[in-house]
Amino acid sequence: MKPRIFISMHYLEIGGAETSLIGLLKALDPARVEVDLFLHAHRGELMRFIPPWVNLLPEIPVYAFIERPLTEALRHGFLRLVWARLRAKWHFHRYIKRKRPTDGSAIFGYIGRYVTPTLPSLRGLGTYDLAISFLTPHDLVLRKVSARKRVAWIHTDYTRIDVDGGLELPVWNGYDYIASVSVEVTKTFLREFPTLADKVIEIENILSPAFVRKRADEEPLPADMARKDNETILLTIGRYSFPKKLEEIPLLCRLLIEKGQDIKWYIIGYGGSDLYIRRAISAEGMEGRVVLLGKRVNPYPYIKACDWYVQPSRYEGKSVVVREAQMLGRPVIITAYPTAASQVTHGVDGVVVPLPAESCAEGMSRALTNETLRQSIISHLVSHDYGNETEVNKVIALIG
Protein backbone atom coordinates (compact mmCIF):
# COMPACT_ATOMS: atom_id res chain seq x y z
CA MET A 1 0.00 0.00 0.00
CA LYS A 2 1.39 3.40 -0.98
CA PRO A 3 2.10 5.99 1.74
CA ARG A 4 -0.62 8.63 2.16
CA ILE A 5 0.30 12.33 2.25
CA PHE A 6 -1.99 15.14 3.40
CA ILE A 7 -1.17 18.70 2.27
CA SER A 8 -2.92 21.82 3.60
CA MET A 9 -2.90 25.23 1.90
CA HIS A 10 -5.13 28.32 2.04
CA TYR A 11 -5.92 28.58 -1.69
CA LEU A 12 -4.06 28.72 -5.01
CA GLU A 13 -4.05 32.34 -6.07
CA ILE A 14 -0.89 33.65 -7.75
CA GLY A 15 1.97 33.80 -5.27
CA GLY A 16 5.38 32.39 -4.46
CA ALA A 17 4.29 29.82 -1.88
CA GLU A 18 1.39 28.75 -4.10
CA THR A 19 3.70 28.31 -7.10
CA SER A 20 6.10 26.33 -4.92
CA LEU A 21 3.27 24.03 -3.85
CA ILE A 22 2.37 23.34 -7.49
CA GLY A 23 6.04 22.49 -8.06
CA LEU A 24 5.94 20.02 -5.17
CA LEU A 25 2.75 18.37 -6.43
CA LYS A 26 4.16 18.00 -9.94
CA ALA A 27 7.38 16.50 -8.60
CA LEU A 28 5.65 13.86 -6.47
CA ASP A 29 5.29 10.47 -8.16
CA PRO A 30 1.79 8.88 -8.11
CA ALA A 31 3.46 5.49 -8.38
CA ARG A 32 5.11 6.10 -5.00
CA VAL A 33 2.55 8.03 -2.94
CA GLU A 34 -1.11 9.00 -2.64
CA VAL A 35 -1.80 12.69 -2.02
CA ASP A 36 -4.85 14.38 -0.54
CA LEU A 37 -4.79 18.16 -1.06
CA PHE A 38 -6.91 20.23 1.31
CA LEU A 39 -7.48 23.85 0.29
CA HIS A 40 -9.35 26.13 2.68
CA ALA A 41 -10.98 27.71 -0.37
CA HIS A 42 -11.13 26.29 -3.89
CA ARG A 43 -10.06 29.47 -5.63
CA GLY A 44 -7.09 30.85 -7.51
CA GLU A 45 -5.51 30.97 -10.94
CA LEU A 46 -3.20 28.05 -10.13
CA MET A 47 -6.02 25.58 -9.45
CA ARG A 48 -5.81 24.31 -13.02
CA PHE A 49 -2.23 23.14 -12.51
CA ILE A 50 -3.10 20.63 -9.78
CA PRO A 51 -2.01 17.27 -11.28
CA PRO A 52 -5.06 15.14 -12.13
CA TRP A 53 -3.89 12.26 -9.96
CA VAL A 54 -3.90 14.42 -6.81
CA ASN A 55 -7.09 13.98 -4.76
CA LEU A 56 -8.49 17.47 -4.14
CA LEU A 57 -10.59 17.11 -1.02
CA PRO A 58 -14.04 18.76 -0.98
CA GLU A 59 -14.18 22.33 0.26
CA ILE A 60 -15.56 22.71 3.79
CA PRO A 61 -17.52 26.00 3.84
CA VAL A 62 -16.41 27.28 7.24
CA TYR A 63 -12.73 26.86 6.29
CA ALA A 64 -13.34 28.93 3.16
CA PHE A 65 -14.45 31.86 5.35
CA ILE A 66 -11.39 31.98 7.61
CA GLU A 67 -10.01 34.88 5.57
CA ARG A 68 -13.23 36.32 4.16
CA PRO A 69 -14.65 39.61 5.52
CA LEU A 70 -16.35 39.16 8.87
CA THR A 71 -19.61 40.54 7.49
CA GLU A 72 -19.70 37.77 4.89
CA ALA A 73 -18.96 35.08 7.46
CA LEU A 74 -21.72 36.48 9.67
CA ARG A 75 -24.18 36.60 6.79
CA HIS A 76 -23.51 32.91 6.08
CA GLY A 77 -24.18 31.99 9.68
CA PHE A 78 -20.66 31.14 10.86
CA LEU A 79 -21.17 32.71 14.27
CA ARG A 80 -18.54 30.67 16.14
CA LEU A 81 -15.95 31.53 13.47
CA VAL A 82 -16.80 35.24 13.69
CA TRP A 83 -16.56 35.18 17.47
CA ALA A 84 -13.20 33.34 17.32
CA ARG A 85 -11.79 35.84 14.82
CA LEU A 86 -12.91 38.74 17.00
CA ARG A 87 -11.20 37.12 20.00
CA ALA A 88 -8.03 36.70 17.95
CA LYS A 89 -8.11 40.38 16.97
CA TRP A 90 -8.72 41.46 20.56
CA HIS A 91 -5.78 39.45 21.89
CA PHE A 92 -3.59 40.66 19.03
CA HIS A 93 -4.41 44.29 19.86
CA ARG A 94 -3.44 43.63 23.48
CA TYR A 95 -0.17 42.20 22.17
CA ILE A 96 0.38 45.35 20.06
CA LYS A 97 -0.06 47.59 23.10
CA ARG A 98 2.35 45.45 25.08
CA LYS A 99 5.08 44.82 22.50
CA ARG A 100 4.76 47.62 19.89
CA PRO A 101 5.63 45.26 16.98
CA THR A 102 7.02 46.57 13.69
CA ASP A 103 4.53 44.63 11.57
CA GLY A 104 1.34 42.61 11.88
CA SER A 105 2.62 39.09 11.29
CA ALA A 106 1.88 38.00 14.85
CA ILE A 107 -1.86 38.01 14.05
CA PHE A 108 -1.50 34.60 12.37
CA GLY A 109 -0.50 33.04 15.66
CA TYR A 110 -3.65 34.39 17.32
CA ILE A 111 -5.84 33.26 14.43
CA GLY A 112 -4.33 29.81 14.75
CA ARG A 113 -4.98 29.63 18.48
CA TYR A 114 -8.54 30.96 18.60
CA VAL A 115 -9.99 29.97 15.22
CA THR A 116 -8.73 26.38 14.97
CA PRO A 117 -10.91 25.01 17.82
CA THR A 118 -14.06 26.18 16.00
CA LEU A 119 -13.25 24.25 12.81
CA PRO A 120 -14.48 20.74 11.99
CA SER A 121 -12.03 17.89 12.57
CA LEU A 122 -10.41 16.20 9.57
CA ARG A 123 -9.55 13.03 11.48
CA GLY A 124 -12.35 11.21 9.70
CA LEU A 125 -10.08 11.11 6.65
CA GLY A 126 -7.99 8.47 8.40
CA THR A 127 -4.37 8.46 9.52
CA TYR A 128 -1.82 9.78 7.05
CA ASP A 129 1.81 8.77 6.85
CA LEU A 130 2.82 12.43 6.44
CA ALA A 131 0.83 15.63 6.96
CA ILE A 132 2.21 18.85 5.46
CA SER A 133 1.19 22.33 6.57
CA PHE A 134 2.45 24.53 3.75
CA LEU A 135 1.63 27.99 5.13
CA THR A 136 1.03 29.58 8.55
CA PRO A 137 -0.84 29.33 10.82
CA HIS A 138 0.15 25.71 11.37
CA ASP A 139 -2.32 24.92 14.16
CA LEU A 140 -4.82 23.32 11.78
CA VAL A 141 -2.70 20.36 10.64
CA LEU A 142 -1.42 19.90 14.18
CA ARG A 143 -4.87 19.85 15.83
CA LYS A 144 -7.27 18.61 13.15
CA VAL A 145 -5.39 15.94 11.16
CA SER A 146 -4.34 12.44 12.19
CA ALA A 147 -0.82 11.61 10.98
CA ARG A 148 2.23 9.56 11.93
CA LYS A 149 4.58 12.41 10.96
CA ARG A 150 4.01 16.13 10.46
CA VAL A 151 6.04 18.85 8.75
CA ALA A 152 5.42 22.62 8.71
CA TRP A 153 6.95 24.95 6.12
CA ILE A 154 8.67 28.29 6.66
CA HIS A 155 8.99 30.63 3.68
CA THR A 156 10.10 33.97 5.10
CA ASP A 157 12.91 35.90 6.80
CA TYR A 158 12.16 35.80 10.53
CA THR A 159 14.41 38.75 11.28
CA ARG A 160 11.98 41.00 9.39
CA ILE A 161 8.64 39.89 10.80
CA ASP A 162 7.20 40.01 14.29
CA VAL A 163 5.88 36.86 15.99
CA ASP A 164 4.67 36.10 19.49
CA GLY A 165 7.26 33.46 20.27
CA GLY A 166 5.53 32.25 23.41
CA LEU A 167 2.35 31.65 21.44
CA GLU A 168 3.97 29.99 18.43
CA LEU A 169 6.66 27.82 20.04
CA PRO A 170 4.24 25.13 21.30
CA VAL A 171 2.83 24.82 17.77
CA TRP A 172 6.26 24.40 16.18
CA ASN A 173 7.16 21.90 18.91
CA GLY A 174 4.18 19.80 17.93
CA TYR A 175 5.71 19.06 14.53
CA ASP A 176 8.23 16.35 13.80
CA TYR A 177 9.96 18.48 11.16
CA ILE A 178 10.14 22.11 10.06
CA ALA A 179 10.99 22.63 6.38
CA SER A 180 12.98 25.75 5.52
CA VAL A 181 13.37 26.95 1.93
CA SER A 182 17.02 28.07 2.30
CA VAL A 183 20.05 28.17 4.58
CA GLU A 184 19.48 31.86 5.23
CA VAL A 185 15.82 31.35 6.14
CA THR A 186 16.93 28.65 8.58
CA LYS A 187 19.38 31.03 10.24
CA THR A 188 16.76 33.76 10.70
CA PHE A 189 14.20 31.29 12.04
CA LEU A 190 16.60 29.84 14.60
CA ARG A 191 17.44 33.30 15.93
CA GLU A 192 13.81 33.46 17.05
CA PHE A 193 13.45 29.77 17.96
CA PRO A 194 16.92 28.36 18.76
CA THR A 195 15.52 25.32 20.61
CA LEU A 196 13.99 24.03 17.36
CA ALA A 197 17.31 23.47 15.57
CA ASP A 198 17.00 19.67 15.64
CA LYS A 199 13.66 19.80 13.81
CA VAL A 200 14.70 22.01 10.88
CA ILE A 201 15.49 20.53 7.48
CA GLU A 202 16.13 22.45 4.28
CA ILE A 203 13.91 21.80 1.27
CA GLU A 204 14.15 24.34 -1.52
CA ASN A 205 11.11 25.63 -3.40
CA ILE A 206 10.61 22.94 -6.03
CA LEU A 207 10.46 24.48 -9.50
CA SER A 208 10.52 22.93 -12.95
CA PRO A 209 12.33 24.76 -15.79
CA ALA A 210 10.31 22.79 -18.35
CA PHE A 211 7.03 23.97 -16.80
CA VAL A 212 8.20 27.60 -16.65
CA ARG A 213 9.49 27.61 -20.24
CA LYS A 214 6.32 25.93 -21.51
CA ARG A 215 4.17 28.64 -19.95
CA ALA A 216 6.48 31.38 -21.26
CA ASP A 217 5.90 30.10 -24.79
CA GLU A 218 2.11 29.80 -24.45
CA GLU A 219 1.55 33.41 -25.47
CA PRO A 220 3.31 35.80 -27.90
CA LEU A 221 5.23 38.88 -26.83
CA PRO A 222 2.75 40.83 -24.68
CA ALA A 223 1.28 43.76 -26.62
CA ASP A 224 1.07 45.85 -23.43
CA MET A 225 4.83 45.52 -22.96
CA ALA A 226 5.92 46.79 -26.37
CA ARG A 227 9.42 48.19 -26.63
CA LYS A 228 9.96 51.70 -28.00
CA ASP A 229 13.26 52.67 -29.63
CA ASN A 230 16.20 51.78 -27.38
CA GLU A 231 14.35 51.57 -24.08
CA THR A 232 15.60 49.12 -21.49
CA ILE A 233 12.66 47.09 -20.20
CA LEU A 234 12.56 46.32 -16.48
CA LEU A 235 9.98 44.08 -14.83
CA THR A 236 8.94 43.46 -11.22
CA ILE A 237 6.29 41.00 -10.00
CA GLY A 238 4.87 40.91 -6.50
CA ARG A 239 2.03 41.30 -4.06
CA TYR A 240 0.96 44.81 -3.09
CA SER A 241 2.56 44.48 0.32
CA PHE A 242 5.18 46.05 2.56
CA PRO A 243 7.92 43.41 2.01
CA LYS A 244 7.95 43.88 -1.78
CA LYS A 245 8.59 47.66 -1.58
CA LEU A 246 6.83 48.32 -4.89
CA GLU A 247 6.04 51.89 -3.86
CA GLU A 248 9.74 52.79 -4.17
CA ILE A 249 9.92 51.83 -7.84
CA PRO A 250 8.78 55.27 -9.12
CA LEU A 251 11.57 56.94 -7.09
CA LEU A 252 14.16 54.46 -8.36
CA CYS A 253 12.93 54.99 -11.90
CA ARG A 254 13.30 58.78 -11.59
CA LEU A 255 16.81 58.42 -10.15
CA LEU A 256 17.81 56.09 -12.99
CA ILE A 257 16.47 58.48 -15.64
CA GLU A 258 18.41 61.32 -14.01
CA LYS A 259 21.50 59.13 -14.40
CA GLY A 260 20.84 58.93 -18.13
CA GLN A 261 19.02 55.60 -18.32
CA ASP A 262 16.27 55.24 -20.94
CA ILE A 263 14.02 52.77 -19.16
CA LYS A 264 10.45 51.66 -18.80
CA TRP A 265 9.57 49.73 -15.66
CA TYR A 266 6.58 47.37 -15.69
CA ILE A 267 4.93 46.05 -12.53
CA ILE A 268 2.73 42.95 -12.39
CA GLY A 269 1.00 43.21 -9.04
CA TYR A 270 -1.82 41.56 -7.16
CA GLY A 271 -3.38 41.05 -3.76
CA GLY A 272 -4.94 44.43 -2.95
CA SER A 273 -5.04 48.06 -3.99
CA ASP A 274 -2.35 49.67 -6.14
CA LEU A 275 -3.40 53.18 -5.11
CA TYR A 276 -0.28 53.78 -3.02
CA ILE A 277 1.92 52.97 -6.02
CA ARG A 278 -0.12 55.20 -8.34
CA ARG A 279 0.33 58.06 -5.88
CA ALA A 280 4.08 57.46 -5.87
CA ILE A 281 4.12 57.43 -9.68
CA SER A 282 2.35 60.80 -9.72
CA ALA A 283 4.57 62.26 -7.00
CA GLU A 284 7.73 61.35 -8.93
CA GLY A 285 6.32 62.37 -12.33
CA MET A 286 6.86 58.86 -13.71
CA GLU A 287 3.62 58.48 -15.67
CA GLY A 288 4.47 56.56 -18.83
CA ARG A 289 7.73 55.31 -17.34
CA VAL A 290 6.35 53.11 -14.57
CA VAL A 291 3.48 51.01 -15.92
CA LEU A 292 1.12 49.02 -13.70
CA LEU A 293 -0.10 45.92 -15.50
CA GLY A 294 -2.17 44.54 -12.62
CA LYS A 295 -2.53 40.80 -12.19
CA ARG A 296 -1.51 38.50 -15.03
CA VAL A 297 -2.57 34.85 -14.91
CA ASN A 298 0.50 33.93 -16.98
CA PRO A 299 3.39 36.26 -16.10
CA TYR A 300 6.05 34.18 -17.83
CA PRO A 301 5.87 35.76 -21.32
CA TYR A 302 6.44 39.11 -19.59
CA ILE A 303 9.51 37.77 -17.80
CA LYS A 304 10.82 36.36 -21.07
CA ALA A 305 10.35 39.76 -22.77
CA CYS A 306 12.18 41.97 -20.24
CA ASP A 307 15.83 43.01 -20.33
CA TRP A 308 16.26 42.78 -16.56
CA TYR A 309 14.03 41.30 -13.89
CA VAL A 310 14.22 43.46 -10.72
CA GLN A 311 13.23 42.43 -7.17
CA PRO A 312 13.51 45.55 -4.95
CA SER A 313 12.21 43.83 -1.78
CA ARG A 314 12.79 44.82 1.82
CA TYR A 315 13.00 41.12 2.64
CA GLU A 316 12.31 37.71 1.13
CA GLY A 317 12.48 34.08 2.16
CA LYS A 318 13.58 32.73 -1.17
CA SER A 319 11.84 34.47 -4.04
CA VAL A 320 10.21 32.03 -6.44
CA VAL A 321 9.90 34.54 -9.28
CA VAL A 322 13.62 35.41 -9.13
CA ARG A 323 14.45 31.75 -9.70
CA GLU A 324 11.87 31.55 -12.50
CA ALA A 325 13.46 34.57 -14.22
CA GLN A 326 16.83 32.83 -14.03
CA MET A 327 15.29 29.70 -15.54
CA LEU A 328 14.13 31.85 -18.47
CA GLY A 329 17.65 33.24 -18.94
CA ARG A 330 16.72 36.72 -17.76
CA PRO A 331 19.39 38.61 -15.77
CA VAL A 332 18.10 39.64 -12.37
CA ILE A 333 18.78 42.56 -10.06
CA ILE A 334 17.83 42.08 -6.42
CA THR A 335 18.32 44.20 -3.33
CA ALA A 336 20.68 43.07 -0.57
CA TYR A 337 18.00 41.75 1.76
CA PRO A 338 19.37 39.34 4.39
CA THR A 339 18.61 36.17 2.41
CA ALA A 340 19.83 37.51 -0.96
CA ALA A 341 22.85 35.20 -1.02
CA SER A 342 20.52 32.22 -1.38
CA GLN A 343 19.26 33.66 -4.69
CA VAL A 344 22.08 35.39 -6.50
CA THR A 345 25.86 35.20 -6.76
CA HIS A 346 26.69 38.82 -7.53
CA GLY A 347 28.11 39.29 -11.02
CA VAL A 348 27.63 35.61 -11.92
CA ASP A 349 23.91 34.85 -12.20
CA GLY A 350 22.58 38.27 -11.28
CA VAL A 351 23.35 41.54 -9.55
CA VAL A 352 22.85 42.47 -5.90
CA VAL A 353 22.39 46.17 -5.11
CA PRO A 354 22.10 48.03 -1.78
CA LEU A 355 18.70 48.56 -0.16
CA PRO A 356 18.72 52.39 0.28
CA ALA A 357 17.17 54.12 -2.74
CA GLU A 358 20.13 56.28 -3.80
CA SER A 359 22.63 53.42 -3.51
CA CYS A 360 20.17 51.01 -5.11
CA ALA A 361 19.75 53.30 -8.13
CA GLU A 362 23.50 53.75 -8.42
CA GLY A 363 24.09 49.99 -8.41
CA MET A 364 21.29 49.43 -10.90
CA SER A 365 22.65 52.14 -13.22
CA ARG A 366 26.08 50.50 -13.29
CA ALA A 367 24.48 47.18 -14.21
CA LEU A 368 22.21 48.66 -16.89
CA THR A 369 25.14 50.32 -18.66
CA ASN A 370 27.32 47.20 -18.60
CA GLU A 371 26.17 45.13 -21.58
CA THR A 372 29.19 42.84 -21.22
CA LEU A 373 28.03 41.96 -17.70
CA ARG A 374 24.45 41.39 -18.88
CA GLN A 375 25.53 39.02 -21.64
CA SER A 376 27.87 37.19 -19.27
CA ILE A 377 25.00 36.64 -16.81
CA ILE A 378 22.70 35.44 -19.60
CA SER A 379 25.34 33.00 -20.83
CA HIS A 380 25.72 31.61 -17.33
CA LEU A 381 21.97 31.26 -16.85
CA VAL A 382 21.28 29.44 -20.12
CA SER A 383 24.16 27.02 -19.53
CA HIS A 384 23.10 26.01 -16.02
CA ASP A 385 20.20 23.90 -14.83
CA TYR A 386 18.14 25.76 -12.23
CA GLY A 387 15.70 22.90 -11.79
CA ASN A 388 15.55 21.08 -8.48
CA GLU A 389 12.82 18.46 -8.74
CA THR A 390 15.06 16.03 -6.84
CA GLU A 391 14.27 18.05 -3.68
CA VAL A 392 11.05 16.02 -3.59
CA ASN A 393 13.10 13.05 -2.36
CA LYS A 394 13.65 14.93 0.89
CA VAL A 395 9.89 15.08 1.37
CA ILE A 396 9.48 11.37 0.69
CA ALA A 397 12.28 10.60 3.15
CA LEU A 398 10.28 12.23 5.97
CA ILE A 399 7.72 9.44 5.80
CA GLY A 400 10.32 7.10 7.34
Side-chain angles (χ1 to χ4, degrees), residues 59-247:
E59 184 181 273
I60 299 175
V62 67
Y63 280 87
F65 279 84
I66 294 173
E67 297 181 49
R68 303 296 295 172
L70 283 171
T71 52
E72 290 187 23
L74 189 62
R75 189 165 62 249
H76 283 78
F78 298 121
L79 303 183
R80 291 187 68 214
L81 175 66
V82 170
W83 174 241
R85 287 175 57 183
L86 290 173
R87 286 187 69 196
K89 284 189 175 184
W90 184 77
H91 283 281
F92 175 59
H93 284 303
R94 291 186 66 193
Y95 173 79
I96 289 175
K97 289 181 179 179
R98 188 170 72 251
K99 294 291 187 179
R100 304 289 181 185
T102 56
D103 80 336
S105 299
I107 184 63
F108 295 109
Y110 289 95
I111 290 173
R113 167 169 284 191
Y114 292 102
V115 170
T116 302
T118 71
L119 301 172
S121 173
L122 302 175
R123 293 182 180 274
L125 296 168
T127 299
Y128 290 90
D129 296 285
L130 179 67
I132 296 173
S133 180
F134 211 70
L135 204 62
T136 56
H138 296 301
D139 305 62
L140 187 154
V141 169
L142 182 62
R143 312 294 182 199
K144 299 295 182 179
V145 179
S146 177
R148 293 194 306 106
K149 298 285 181 65
R150 291 180 176 84
V151 56
W153 244 259
I154 48 176
H155 298 271
T156 195
D157 176 357
Y158 268 72
T159 65
R160 301 303 302 269
I161 65 171
D162 180 85
V163 294
D164 185 339
L167 184 68
E168 291 200 8
L169 184 58
V171 178
W172 292 114
N173 266 325
Y175 279 83
D176 300 283
Y177 307 102
I178 299 167
S180 165
V181 298
S182 74
V183 174
E184 288 75 15
V185 166
T186 299
K187 290 177 181 177
T188 66
F189 179 76
L190 292 180
R191 287 175 199 166
E192 181 68 31
F193 300 109
T195 61
L196 297 174
D198 290 344
K199 292 179 180 283
V200 178
I201 56 173
E202 281 154 19
I203 303 176
E204 293 185 357
N205 292 318
I206 298 175
L207 301 170
S208 165
F211 176 71
V212 170
R213 290 167 189 151
K214 179 177 181 294
R215 295 201 66 201
D217 291 334
E218 285 177 354
E219 300 173 17
L221 176 70
D224 51 5
M225 199 177 177
R227 186 187 306 276
K228 185 172 72 176
D229 301 326
N230 295 316
E231 284 179 336
T232 297
I233 302 298
L234 310 181
L235 175 67
T236 297
I237 301 174
R239 293 185 186 274
Y240 298 130
S241 61
F242 177 78
K244 302 303 180 183
K245 204 167 62 169
L246 302 181
E247 77 283 356

